[in-house]
Amino acid sequence: MPASVAAVLPEDAEEALLIGRLWDVETSGPRVVAVRGGDVFDLQHLAGTVSELLERAEPAADVRSAMTAARWKTADVVEASLARDTARPHLLAPVDLQVIKACGVTFVDSMIERVIEERCGGDAGRATEMRELVGRALGGSIGDVRPGSPEAAEAKRVLIAEGLWSQYLEVGIGPDPEVFTKAPVLSSVGLGAGVGIPAFSSWNNPEPELVLIATSTGRIVGATLGNDVNLRDVEGRSALLLGKAKDNNASSALGPLIRLFDGRFTLDTLRQEEILLRVEGPDGFQLEGRNTVARISRPFEELVAATFGRHHQYPDGFALYTGTLFAPTQDRDQPGQGFTHKMGDVVTIRSRHLGALVNTVGAAEELPPWHFGLRELFGYLAVRENLGSRVPHF
């Protein structure tokens, strides 16, 4: 397997059941695909969308049966994706009709950083001072508190008395997790694409996350990696600016592919997943981080139940960012200013079982605009049978 492919696919790629979406230049539209080693298989005859595919009674078995004749080479597709060469077949975000949801403040470390953002009012220059203040008050003991427990209620009482209670502590250790809509349907970007930082933000960071993929019944059928691009200065000014902080052009990255659950890979596998982050700047700056999923404060099932149920349904399924442990405090420029992105930063999010999602930071206003929406997709699907009969296999 070429080095570029091995670097993107899971370590056990030969055993992994991987599906996603590919932009096909011959038919000018997205195809549902499966990847096995060096080959990419067109699954459009099986399902027109990833959402439709995952609604099948046995999607894993059906995908395995459908991988008969490869249409593309994985190395070519990965190379085009990383080069952002839209003139060749390249990977897209691996979901389509699914709603993109996200859970926040699911790790204690990031919860404390959110409190600091709030106390700073979005001013990065005050971060070190606030971090020391909050750290002394919390004493580190809050990390063992189970959200919604009597101990959490007592911690809340003490923090209120000390004048340090925060809305972030409420969702971090309170009875209800934070769940919000991260991005519109079809707006997420995939492997190799630019991720966007808008001009109005000067304090921001990547958020490497495990993303669960669920069906219309709330059944978790697989997972992928995600970058929940975060504007710390905007959200720090007010939590009511969450939409402005989280949903911008190319602010949701997913990929490289969805790994479906099977006998070897299950939800329990993910409970121990290590998600690694590496940022390589054009200025020579390097930042590394780790998101240890085992340290999540709420189980996956609780996050999914807070998202889906009698109170809210998703007829086409949903993708759920599960939150991040990573909160960068390493100074990049001036002492005490912490980390913020620069244009051209290469962000790599990697895990053993899910592969690597690689994106380059750009200005949200200058990246390719989002233009392929639901009307275009439905138009493409309306003629997919005719299109499918004209494409060659090898």
Side-chain angles (χ1 to χ4, degrees):
M1 187 180 299
S4 60
V5 175
V8 166
L9 297 186
E11 291 182 8
D12 57 344
E14 295 298 330
E15 299 178 350
L17 187 57
L18 304 169
I19 64 167
R21 295 168 63 238
L22 174 147
W23 183 266
D24 178 29
V25 296
E26 293 185 35
T27 61
S28 299
R31 313 290 287 188
V32 180
V33 299
V35 175
R36 182 174 60 200
D39 296 319
V40 180
F41 300 82
D42 191 343
L43 301 185
Q44 202 75 7
H45 63 285
L46 189 64
T49 65
V50 172
S51 171
E52 178 188 355
L53 174 63
L54 298 182
E55 292 296 320
R56 300 175 73 95
E58 298 291 339
D62 292 344
V63 169
R64 290 191 189 281
S65 298
M67 289 191 290
T68 54
R71 185 175 165 201
W72 301 276
K73 288 298 184 182
T74 309
D76 296 337
V77 171
V78 167
E79 179 184 325
S81 302
L82 294 176
R84 282 183 274 178
D85 184 353
T86 59
R88 292 188 286 162
H90 56 278
L91 290 175
L92 305 170
V95 299
D96 37 47
L97 299 182
Q98 294 90 341
V99 176
I100 311 301
K101 305 293 288 189
C103 290
V105 203
T106 55
F107 292 85
V108 171
D109 302 62
S110 61
M111 176 186 72
I112 293 173
E113 285 301 309
R114 290 293 181 271
V115 175
I116 290 166
E117 288 169 15
E118 183 182 47
R119 293 281 164 176
C120 290
D123 181 359
R126 299 178 57 204
T128 299
E129 171 194 350
M130 288 297 105
R131 191 171 292 111
E132 292 175 356
L133 174 63
V134 173
R136 287 196 300 270
L138 297 179
S141 60
I142 200 170
D144 298 325
V145 173
R146 174 74 173 89
S149 67
E151 292 79 11
E154 174 61 17
K156 176 177 179 178
R157 185 192 67 78
V158 171
L159 289 165
I160 290 175
E162 294 180 355
L164 284 173
W165 184 249
S166 162
Q167 55 206 335
Y168 294 108
L169 291 168
E170 175 64 43
V171 295
I173 64 174
D176 300 309
E178 178 188 20
V179 183
F180 59 93
T181 300
K182 166 63 180 176
V185 170
L186 287 177
S187 69
S188 297
V189 298
L191 176 70
V195 288
I197 302 294
F200 53 75
S201 175
S202 59
W203 187 21
N204 41 70
N205 65 274
E207 290 193 351
E209 301 190 22
L210 172 70
V211 181
L212 301 176
I213 307 299
T215 68
S216 63
T217 63
R219 181 168 62 109
I220 309 171
V221 293
T224 190
L225 296 171
N227 185 354
D228 178 11
V229 179
N230 180 47
L231 310 184
R232 302 190 71 178
D233 47 359
V234 175
E235 187 178 352
R237 284 160 47 204
S238 171
L240 296 181
L241 293 173
L242 181 66
K244 186 180 181 72
K246 290 291 189 179
D247 183 10
N248 295 286
N249 186 32
S251 64
S252 169
L254 297 170
L257 300 156
I258 294 171
R259 182 165 184 174
L260 297 180
F261 292 149
D262 55 18
R264 306 181 186 89
F265 176 71
T266 68
L267 191 60
D268 285 337
T269 308
L270 294 175
R271 298 187 203 278
Q272 302 299 319
E273 195 78 345
E274 294 277 332
I275 299 175
L276 306 178
L277 169 75
R278 184 176 180 84
V279 177
E280 299 171 279
D283 55 351
F285 176 87
Q286 294 188 356
L287 175 73
E288 295 187 350
R290 181 182 301 268
N291 188 8
T292 305
V293 178
R295 291 178 59 186
I296 198 167
S297 59
R298 302 178 194 264
F300 297 140
E301 292 84 353
E302 183 177 336
L303 300 179
V304 170
T307 306
F308 168 88
R310 293 184 64 186
H311 66 289
H312 205 316
Q313 297 79 46
Y314 300 89
D316 300 300
F318 58 97
L320 182 62
Y321 282 86
T322 56
T324 187
L325 171 68
F326 177 73
T329 60
Q330 178 181 333
D331 289 334
R332 182 168 196 172
D333 294 316
Q334 300 298 320
Q337 293 289 312
F339 170 84
T340 196
H341 271 307
K342 293 183 184 292
M343 299 300 109
D345 281 352
V346 177
V347 180
T348 302
I349 298 171
R350 181 190 311 277
S351 85
R352 175 184 175 188
H353 294 100
L354 298 174
L357 173 62
V358 184
N359 301 99
T360 301
V361 173
E365 298 84 354
E366 298 174 7
L367 291 176
W370 172 37
H371 62 84
F372 192 91
L374 289 169
R375 282 181 300 164
E376 287 80 3
L377 176 61
F378 291 162
Y380 179 77
L381 293 177
V383 295
R384 65 173 182 160
E385 294 300 329
N386 289 333
L387 291 172
S389 66
R390 297 203 303 268
V391 296
H393 289 76
F394 56 81

